[in-house]
Amino acid sequence: MALKNYRRLCMKDIRYLQKEIKPSNTNQGDIVSAIILAMMHMIDFCKQLKYVREIVVITNGLGGIEDISSFDTMNIAQFKESEKHIAKDTLESKRQQLIDTVSLKLAEEKIQLTVLGVDFDIDTPSFKFKEDNKPHEKRLNEDCLREIVQTSGGRYGTLAEAIAELEQPLVKQVKPVTLYKGELILGKPGSKGALSIQVERYPCIKAARAITASAFAKIGEEDGAATQTSREPPSSMPVNHRKSYRVEDHTQKTGWREVDEGSLSRGYEYGRTVVPFLPEDEHITKFETTAAFEIIGLIKKEQYKRYYSLSDTSYTVAASWNPQAKVALSGLIHALFETEAYAVARLVAKDKRNPVMVLLAPCIETGYECLVDVTLPFAEDRRQYGFAPLDRVVTVTGKVLKEHRNLPNADLQKAMSDYVDSVNLDLPGPTTDMFNPSIHHLNSTISHRAIYPTEPLPSPNPILLAPSQMHPDLVQASAGALKSLITKAYVKKVPPKTQHRRDRNAEKPLSGLDMDALLSKGSKTKNGEKAQIDSKNPVPSFKRLLDTTTDPNGINDLARQMIGVIKEKVKNSFGDSEYRHEMFCLSTLRQEMIELEEPDVYNELIREFKKNILAGELGGNRDDIWFKIRKEKLGLVTDTESSDSNVREEDARQFLRQK
């Protein structure tokens, strides 16, 4: 009995089959008859069209298999032609004739048969299982199905193996996409001595992306009935997006007005000035190029640093239709391999694309040869940073110290060396078969929610979590060395940092000293007045004084001192030379007031600061720093940032927009 006709399987069909397919309490049923019936339906539907044909059989193997004479009453005209090619006198029994007939027809129609049996015996390198005290009838059925599968080129396995494979993440097979087709040129293009090879370039390593969610609107029963005529209205519908463009316009009540996309012009910032370009001038800003792949030089292997790689990797192979190109590229690959050299090439994948520089490395494996390339950075892509040396300390006077409290001593270096040696990488651990947890966990949760809408989502697969921690064998092997390293390095637990400092208990320092008491001795002047914030080093001074102050009036006074220092710095700044430091001071003031649950203090100060800027009271036109405040979003503290604030987000945005 067929539950569904041949068609594309949708989610509603899967849910229908979930309701209809139920475990049977009987072992009656001929599995070979079911296979023949499935072939008949498949042949009748597919005809001569190119379909991927597969029959999946799940059975416990306890039902009987009738001989071929029992099918005389069925319409099996499709099999008569196949039976003519089988010499019946060479068959030992009608059962063997049945096996050969079904196997031959499966092979002729290119139908792949997959048999999954409950407690079927299997002995493969990846999975082994053998059932004890197996019934004789089941053993005969297993042999029959196994022979059909082996003869027709299908797949055979036990159900336990299939369930175990469900836990293994499946990697999607991606069809190769050509990144470049054309000539690889060695030498000056167009000259007599130039070597031109027809090549094709394909991706080798490319970051996989997780599926993205789309916006849908839920539809109720009334909405669905109004918009759909089918009996089962959809529970959601896709949302159409519309983009609009707005500009500030204080003559409007809303403070802005919409503009037409066709009236917009492209422009680039040149300092604080916008330089517009008309559409007819945009081609001038683009670098005119034509597709090319040109080797411009060779470098030694040791000259290339691993961290120079800037992109994914790609394969470059000879054109499949050009045997001369295969010979020429093979010669180039072997020449680079034997001389331990890399080639540097200029690549323009398509006309009018920006050129990139790539490094070509030879790759020779069994069965194929190719060039593997990575994108090289331009001078603008490199970041030059200076870091302090790790083996010495240089004082302000230029003196070099080899022994210092910030440098590891001999005992610590030996302890670290022993720990590294104890982490033996020959033990079981992460391999190259590591899966992206975000991609596969998202796919599994989507699939689970689609099939079981009301059940809770599954927890992450243990296979995905394996690379996130060290293997238990490695942890056990390195436990002793790690304990010694912790002792030699004087590692101690750091107390967690509390967010709201007003109601917190005083944290005891690791040294046991009362730092607040020591620092408070220097927070008083000779006349008993509060110490002032150091204008040369305001942020550390401000934080230190806040730590020794609990009175709200004292916090308010320190905040006003801090904003006063910021105003003075802005007033005396030459252009925007001090703006970066003042933005850091203002950000610190804002964050500290949020943590101390005093957002109103900051809101009052930032309002005054804005008035001073726009009124030109800080050394003339200082609109630039207000632009930076808007860019860094250092405006009013809203009620979403602090429960003690009564400023709404819309009011905060309006405060930043207004001038």
Side-chain angles (χ1 to χ4, degrees), residues 469-517:
Q469 54 189 355
M470 189 180 292
H471 195 277
D473 294 341
L474 294 177
V475 175
Q476 183 178 0
S478 60
L482 179 61
K483 184 177 180 180
S484 175
L485 177 61
I486 292 175
T487 303
K488 296 295 178 59
Y490 302 102
V491 177
K492 297 182 180 180
K493 185 177 180 180
V494 178
K497 180 181 178 181
T498 56
Q499 292 294 329
H500 300 286
R501 299 183 292 182
R502 172 166 292 184
D503 300 327
R504 74 179 183 183
N505 297 324
E507 298 174 357
K508 185 178 180 181
L510 297 176
S511 62
L513 299 176
D514 189 352
M515 300 304 296
D516 289 342

Coordinates of all heavy atoms in Angstrom, one line a residue, residues 469-517:
Q469 N 37.3 22.1 24.4 CA 38.0 21.8 25.6 C 39.1 20.8 25.4 O 39.0 20.1 24.4 CB 37.0 21.3 26.7 CG 36.2 20.1 26.2 CD 35.1 19.8 27.2 OE1 35.0 20.3 28.2 NE2 34.2 18.8 26.8
M470 N 40.1 20.8 26.3 CA 41.2 19.8 26.1 C 40.7 18.4 26.3 O 39.8 18.2 27.2 CB 42.3 20.2 27.1 CG 43.6 19.4 26.8 SD 44.9 19.9 28.0 CE 45.2 21.5 27.5
H471 N 41.3 17.5 25.6 CA 40.9 16.1 25.8 C 41.2 15.6 27.2 O 42.2 16.0 27.8 CB 41.7 15.2 24.8 CG 41.2 13.9 24.6 ND1 41.5 12.8 25.4 CD2 40.3 13.4 23.6 CE1 40.9 11.7 25.0 NE2 40.1 12.0 23.9
P472 N 40.3 14.8 27.8 CA 40.5 14.3 29.2 C 41.9 13.7 29.4 O 42.5 13.8 30.5 CB 39.3 13.4 29.4 CG 38.3 13.8 28.4 CD 39.0 14.3 27.2
D473 N 42.4 12.9 28.4 CA 43.7 12.3 28.6 C 44.8 13.3 28.7 O 45.7 13.1 29.5 CB 43.9 11.3 27.4 CG 43.0 10.1 27.4 OD1 42.3 9.9 28.4 OD2 42.8 9.5 26.3
L474 N 44.7 14.4 27.9 CA 45.7 15.4 28.0 C 45.6 16.2 29.3 O 46.6 16.5 29.9 CB 45.5 16.4 26.8 CG 45.8 15.9 25.4 CD1 45.5 17.0 24.4 CD2 47.2 15.4 25.3
V475 N 44.4 16.4 29.8 CA 44.2 17.0 31.1 C 44.9 16.2 32.2 O 45.6 16.7 33.1 CB 42.7 17.3 31.4 CG1 42.5 17.8 32.8 CG2 42.1 18.2 30.4
Q476 N 44.6 14.9 32.2 CA 45.2 14.0 33.2 C 46.7 14.0 33.1 O 47.4 14.0 34.1 CB 44.6 12.6 33.1 CG 45.0 11.7 34.2 CD 44.3 10.3 34.0 OE1 43.5 10.1 33.1 NE2 44.7 9.4 34.9
A477 N 47.2 13.9 31.9 CA 48.7 13.8 31.7 C 49.4 15.0 32.1 O 50.6 15.0 32.6 CB 49.0 13.5 30.3
S478 N 48.8 16.2 32.0 CA 49.5 17.5 32.3 C 49.1 18.1 33.7 O 49.5 19.2 34.0 CB 49.2 18.5 31.2 OG 47.8 18.7 31.2
A479 N 48.3 17.3 34.5 CA 47.8 17.9 35.7 C 49.0 18.2 36.7 O 49.0 19.3 37.3 CB 46.9 16.9 36.4
G480 N 50.0 17.4 36.8 CA 51.1 17.6 37.7 C 51.9 18.8 37.3 O 52.3 19.7 38.1
A481 N 52.2 18.9 36.0 CA 53.0 20.0 35.5 C 52.2 21.3 35.6 O 52.8 22.4 35.9 CB 53.4 19.8 34.1
L482 N 50.9 21.3 35.4 CA 50.1 22.5 35.6 C 50.1 23.0 37.0 O 50.2 24.2 37.3 CB 48.7 22.2 35.1 CG 47.7 23.4 35.2 CD1 48.2 24.6 34.4 CD2 46.3 23.0 34.7
K483 N 50.0 22.1 38.0 CA 50.0 22.5 39.4 C 51.3 23.1 39.8 O 51.4 24.1 40.5 CB 49.8 21.2 40.2 CG 49.6 21.5 41.7 CD 49.3 20.3 42.5 CE 49.2 20.6 44.0 NZ 48.9 19.3 44.8
S484 N 52.4 22.5 39.3 CA 53.7 23.1 39.5 C 53.9 24.5 38.9 O 54.4 25.4 39.5 CB 54.8 22.2 39.0 OG 56.1 22.8 39.1
L485 N 53.3 24.7 37.7 CA 53.4 26.0 37.0 C 52.6 27.0 37.8 O 53.0 28.2 37.9 CB 52.8 25.8 35.6 CG 52.7 27.1 34.7 CD1 54.1 27.7 34.5 CD2 52.1 26.8 33.4
I486 N 51.4 26.7 38.3 CA 50.6 27.6 39.1 C 51.4 28.1 40.3 O 51.3 29.2 40.7 CB 49.3 26.9 39.4 CG1 48.4 26.7 38.2 CG2 48.5 27.8 40.4 CD1 47.1 26.0 38.4
T487 N 52.1 27.1 40.9 CA 52.8 27.5 42.1 C 54.0 28.4 41.8 O 54.2 29.4 42.5 CB 53.3 26.2 42.8 OG1 52.2 25.3 43.1 CG2 54.1 26.5 44.1
K488 N 54.7 28.1 40.8 CA 55.9 28.9 40.4 C 55.5 30.3 39.9 O 56.2 31.3 40.0 CB 56.7 28.2 39.3 CG 57.3 26.9 39.8 CD 58.3 27.1 40.9 CE 58.9 25.7 41.4 NZ 59.5 24.9 40.4
A489 N 54.3 30.4 39.3 CA 53.9 31.7 38.7 C 53.1 32.5 39.7 O 52.6 33.6 39.4 CB 53.0 31.4 37.5
Y490 N 52.8 32.0 40.9 CA 52.1 32.7 42.0 C 50.7 33.1 41.4 O 50.3 34.3 41.6 CB 52.9 33.9 42.5 CG 54.2 33.6 43.0 CD1 55.4 33.8 42.3 CD2 54.4 33.0 44.3 CE1 56.6 33.5 42.8 CE2 55.6 32.7 44.8 CZ 56.7 33.0 44.0 OH 58.0 32.6 44.5
V491 N 50.0 32.2 40.8 CA 48.7 32.5 40.3 C 47.7 32.4 41.4 O 47.6 31.5 42.2 CB 48.3 31.4 39.2 CG1 46.9 31.7 38.7 CG2 49.3 31.5 38.0
K492 N 46.9 33.5 41.5 CA 45.9 33.6 42.6 C 44.5 34.0 42.0 O 44.5 34.7 40.9 CB 46.3 34.6 43.7 CG 47.6 34.2 44.4 CD 47.9 35.2 45.5 CE 49.2 34.8 46.2 NZ 49.6 35.7 47.3
K493 N 43.5 33.7 42.7 CA 42.2 34.0 42.2 C 41.9 35.5 42.4 O 42.1 36.1 43.4 CB 41.1 33.2 42.9 CG 39.7 33.4 42.4 CD 38.7 32.5 43.1 CE 37.3 32.7 42.6 NZ 36.3 31.8 43.3
V494 N 41.3 36.1 41.3 CA 41.0 37.5 41.4 C 39.5 37.7 41.7 O 38.7 37.0 41.1 CB 41.3 38.2 40.0 CG1 40.9 39.7 40.1 CG2 42.8 38.1 39.7
P495 N 39.2 38.5 42.7 CA 37.7 38.6 43.0 C 37.0 39.3 41.9 O 37.5 40.1 41.2 CB 37.8 39.5 44.3 CG 39.1 40.2 44.2 CD 40.0 39.3 43.6
P496 N 35.7 38.9 41.7 CA 34.9 39.4 40.6 C 34.7 40.9 40.8 O 34.5 41.4 42.0 CB 33.6 38.6 40.6 CG 33.5 38.1 42.0 CD 34.9 37.9 42.5
K497 N 34.6 41.7 39.7 CA 34.3 43.1 39.8 C 32.8 43.3 39.9 O 32.1 42.8 39.1 CB 34.9 43.8 38.6 CG 34.7 45.3 38.6 CD 35.2 45.9 37.3 CE 35.0 47.4 37.3 NZ 35.5 48.1 36.0
T498 N 32.4 44.1 40.8 CA 31.0 44.4 41.0 C 30.6 45.6 40.1 O 31.4 46.6 40.0 CB 30.7 44.8 42.5 OG1 31.5 45.8 42.9 CG2 30.9 43.5 43.3
Q499 N 29.4 45.6 39.6 CA 29.0 46.7 38.8 C 28.6 48.0 39.5 O 29.0 49.1 39.2 CB 27.8 46.3 37.9 CG 28.2 45.2 36.9 CD 29.2 45.7 35.8 OE1 29.1 46.9 35.5 NE2 30.0 44.9 35.4
H500 N 27.8 47.8 40.6 CA 27.3 48.9 41.4 C 28.1 49.0 42.6 O 28.0 48.2 43.5 CB 25.8 48.8 41.7 CG 25.0 48.7 40.4 ND1 24.7 49.8 39.6 CD2 24.4 47.6 39.8 CE1 23.9 49.4 38.6 NE2 23.7 48.1 38.7
R501 N 28.9 50.1 42.8 CA 29.8 50.2 43.9 C 29.2 50.8 45.1 O 29.9 50.8 46.2 CB 31.1 50.9 43.4 CG 31.8 50.3 42.3 CD 33.1 51.0 41.9 NE 32.7 52.3 41.3 CZ 33.6 53.2 40.9 NH1 34.9 52.9 41.0 NH2 33.3 54.3 40.4
R502 N 28.1 51.4 45.0 CA 27.5 52.1 46.1 C 27.2 51.1 47.3 O 27.4 51.4 48.4 CB 26.3 52.9 45.7 CG 25.6 53.5 46.9 CD 24.6 54.6 46.5 NE 25.3 55.7 45.9 CZ 24.6 56.8 45.5 NH1 23.3 56.9 45.6 NH2 25.3 57.8 45.0
D503 N 26.5 50.0 46.9 CA 26.0 49.1 48.0 C 27.0 47.9 48.2 O 26.6 46.9 48.8 CB 24.6 48.6 47.6 CG 23.7 49.7 47.4 OD1 23.8 50.7 48.2 OD2 22.8 49.6 46.6
R504 N 28.1 47.9 47.6 CA 29.0 46.7 47.7 C 29.8 46.8 49.0 O 30.0 47.8 49.6 CB 30.0 46.7 46.5 CG 31.1 47.7 46.6 CD 32.1 47.6 45.5 NE 33.2 48.6 45.7 CZ 34.1 48.7 44.8 NH1 34.1 48.0 43.7 NH2 35.1 49.6 45.0
N505 N 30.2 45.6 49.4 CA 31.1 45.5 50.6 C 32.5 45.7 50.1 O 32.9 45.4 49.0 CB 31.0 44.1 51.2 CG 29.6 43.8 51.7 OD1 28.9 44.8 52.3 ND2 29.1 42.6 51.6
A506 N 33.3 46.2 51.0 CA 34.7 46.5 50.6 C 35.4 45.2 50.3 O 35.4 44.3 51.0 CB 35.4 47.2 51.7
E507 N 36.1 45.2 49.1 CA 36.8 44.0 48.7 C 38.2 44.0 49.3 O 38.9 45.0 49.3 CB 36.9 44.0 47.2 CG 35.6 43.9 46.4 CD 35.8 44.0 45.0 OE1 37.0 44.2 44.5 OE2 34.8 43.9 44.2
K508 N 38.5 42.8 49.9 CA 39.8 42.7 50.5 C 40.9 42.5 49.5 O 40.8 41.5 48.7 CB 39.8 41.5 51.5 CG 41.0 41.4 52.3 CD 40.9 40.3 53.3 CE 42.2 40.2 54.2 NZ 42.1 39.0 55.1
P509 N 41.9 43.3 49.4 CA 43.0 43.1 48.4 C 43.7 41.8 48.7 O 43.8 41.3 49.8 CB 43.9 44.3 48.6 CG 43.1 45.3 49.4 CD 42.1 44.5 50.2
L510 N 44.4 41.3 47.6 CA 45.1 40.0 47.8 C 46.3 40.2 48.7 O 46.7 39.3 49.4 CB 45.6 39.6 46.4 CG 44.5 39.2 45.4 CD1 45.1 38.9 44.0 CD2 43.7 38.1 45.9
S511 N 46.9 41.4 48.8 CA 48.0 41.7 49.7 C 47.6 41.8 51.1 O 48.5 41.7 52.0 CB 48.7 43.0 49.2 OG 47.8 44.1 49.4
G512 N 46.3 42.0 51.4 CA 45.9 42.1 52.8 C 45.9 43.5 53.3 O 45.5 43.8 54.4
L513 N 46.4 44.5 52.5 CA 46.5 45.9 52.9 C 45.2 46.6 52.6 O 44.5 46.3 51.7 CB 47.7 46.6 52.1 CG 49.1 46.0 52.3 CD1 50.0 46.7 51.4 CD2 49.5 46.1 53.8
D514 N 44.9 47.6 53.5 CA 43.7 48.4 53.3 C 44.1 49.6 52.4 O 44.6 50.6 52.9 CB 43.2 48.9 54.7 CG 41.9 49.6 54.5 OD1 41.4 49.8 53.4 OD2 41.3 49.9 55.6
M515 N 43.9 49.4 51.1 CA 44.3 50.4 50.1 C 43.5 51.7 50.2 O 44.0 52.8 50.0 CB 44.2 49.8 48.7 CG 45.0 48.6 48.4 SD 46.8 48.8 48.8 CE 47.1 50.0 47.6
D516 N 42.2 51.6 50.6 CA 41.4 52.8 50.7 C 41.9 53.7 51.8 O 42.0 54.9 51.7 CB 39.9 52.4 51.0 CG 39.3 51.8 49.8 OD1 39.8 52.0 48.7 OD2 38.2 51.1 50.0
A517 N 42.3 53.0 52.9 CA 42.9 53.8 54.1 C 44.2 54.5 53.7 O 44.4 55.6 54.1 CB 43.0 52.9 55.3

